[in-house]
């Protein structure tokens, strides 16, 4: 019985480790020297799930792009033209690393955040 429990524990823990959820974000702050922001994300994995999402608050415009050996997603919007949220999936392939750029335009206090989530 102890061997069965040990085997099941090992199998379940290795399966859970395979699907560890990872997330990395960067924020741009409008009307500051940090209105443009960038980050590098090391993935080095065949992604079952990979999402690039962006959200701007109190901003009047914004742009964002995420790319590696291929384009994951790019988006631009301005007040009255487009939505202040964007999301795209790039699952089911190997990604080595990604570079993410985001810009937030608008009054002081406006910001935009780009997030990469994967497992």
């Amino acid at each position: 019985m102890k061997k069965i429990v040990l085997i099941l524990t090992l199998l379940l823990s290795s399966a859970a480790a395979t699907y560890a959820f990872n997330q990395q974000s960067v924020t741009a702050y409008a009307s500051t020297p940090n209105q443009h922001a960038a980050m590098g994300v090391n993935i080095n994995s065949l992604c079952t799930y990979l999402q690039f999402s962006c959200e701007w608050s109190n901003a009047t415009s914004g742009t964002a792009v995420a790319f590696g050996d291929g384009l994951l997603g790019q988006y631009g919007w301005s007040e009255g033209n487009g939505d202040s949220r964007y999301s795209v999936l790039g699952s089911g392939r190997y990604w080595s690393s990604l570079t993410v750029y985001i810009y937030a335009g608008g009054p002081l206090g406006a910001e935009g955040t780009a997030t990469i989530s994967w497992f």
Side-chain angles (χ1 to χ4, degrees), residues 40-79:
V41 183
N42 290 319
I43 297 173
N44 295 320
S45 178
L46 174 62
C47 295
T48 304
Y49 172 87
L50 175 69
Q51 180 181 28
F52 170 48
S53 59
C54 307
E55 185 172 359
W56 291 266
S57 61
N58 301 319
T60 57
S61 64
T63 57
V65 63
F67 60 92
D69 57 345
L71 180 65
L72 175 56
Q74 66 180 16
Y75 185 69
W77 70 281
S78 60
E79 202 168 40

Side-chain angles (χ1 to χ4, degrees), residues 3-114:
K3 287 183 181 179
I4 292 173
V5 171
L6 179 62
I7 290 170
L8 287 174
T9 302
L10 289 173
L11 287 174
L12 291 175
S13 65
S14 65
T18 303
Y19 293 102
F21 186 77
N22 300 284
Q23 190 172 65
Q24 194 169 327
S25 298
V26 65
T27 300
Y29 300 95
S31 298
T32 72
N34 297 324
Q35 65 186 15
H36 297 272
M39 72 174 172
V41 183
N42 290 319
I43 297 173
N44 295 320
S45 178
L46 174 62
C47 295
T48 304
Y49 172 87
L50 175 69
Q51 180 181 28
F52 170 48
S53 59
C54 307
E55 185 172 359
W56 291 266
S57 61
N58 301 319
T60 57
S61 64
T63 57
V65 63
F67 60 92
D69 57 345
L71 180 65
L72 175 56
Q74 66 180 16
Y75 185 69
W77 70 281
S78 60
E79 202 168 40
N81 183 20
D83 194 2
S84 62
R85 293 180 186 176
Y86 171 76
S87 181
V88 65
L89 294 175
S91 308
R93 62 165 280 195
Y94 179 86
W95 290 91
S96 58
S97 63
L98 291 171
T99 300
V100 178
Y101 293 106
I102 186 165
Y103 162 79
L108 192 62
E111 63 184 44
T113 301

